Amino acid sequence: MKKELIRLENELDGQYLYAGRCDYCKKCAKITDESCRFPELMRYSVESIGSNIQKLTPDIFDFSLKWIQKDMKIPEYLVNVCAILY
């Protein structure tokens, strides 16, 4: 998925936002109050810029997000929401 987001980012001259956290480092430098080791690669999550995916998904895609329950029960489907800012 990351390759496709990078392709779209370049095509649209934008920057992708992904679901979840950055995964370039095993342990984020920010945890120890250091600067990002890969600032040119790091991307923000959709939620980190204030987007509420739980509310936007039904409006844009006409379905609701389902979540893994506390008992680890897997829902009927899982969704990974990403975006391109341009």
Side-chain angles (χ1 to χ4, degrees):
M1 178 187 300
K2 193 179 286 188
K3 286 181 182 179
E4 180 65 11
L5 289 169
I6 291 169
R7 185 191 69 74
L8 286 168
E9 182 181 79
N10 291 329
E11 181 181 312
L12 297 170
D13 192 27
Q15 188 172 58
Y16 73 83
L17 304 171
Y18 57 90
R21 62 177 184 79
C22 177
D23 61 358
Y24 284 106
C25 299
K26 283 187 177 184
K27 184 177 181 183
C28 180
K30 295 289 186 178
I31 294 171
T32 54
D33 204 28
E34 298 172 62
S35 297
C36 178
R37 294 179 191 99
F38 302 101
E40 69 284 355
L41 298 176
M42 187 272 304
R43 296 295 183 269
Y44 295 99
S45 70
V46 177
E47 294 85 359
S48 73
I49 65 162
S51 298
N52 186 331
I53 298 303
Q54 181 75 28
K55 288 184 178 180
L56 287 174
T57 306
D59 292 342
I60 296 172
F61 299 110
D62 198 29
F63 69 87
S64 296
L65 295 179
K66 306 247 181 198
W67 301 95
I68 296 174
Q69 301 301 309
K70 290 181 184 178
D71 62 1
M72 299 306 289
K73 183 178 178 188
I74 305 291
E76 59 190 285
Y77 59 85
L78 294 172
V79 176
N80 189 348
V81 179
C82 301
I84 303 283
L85 292 178
Y86 67 99

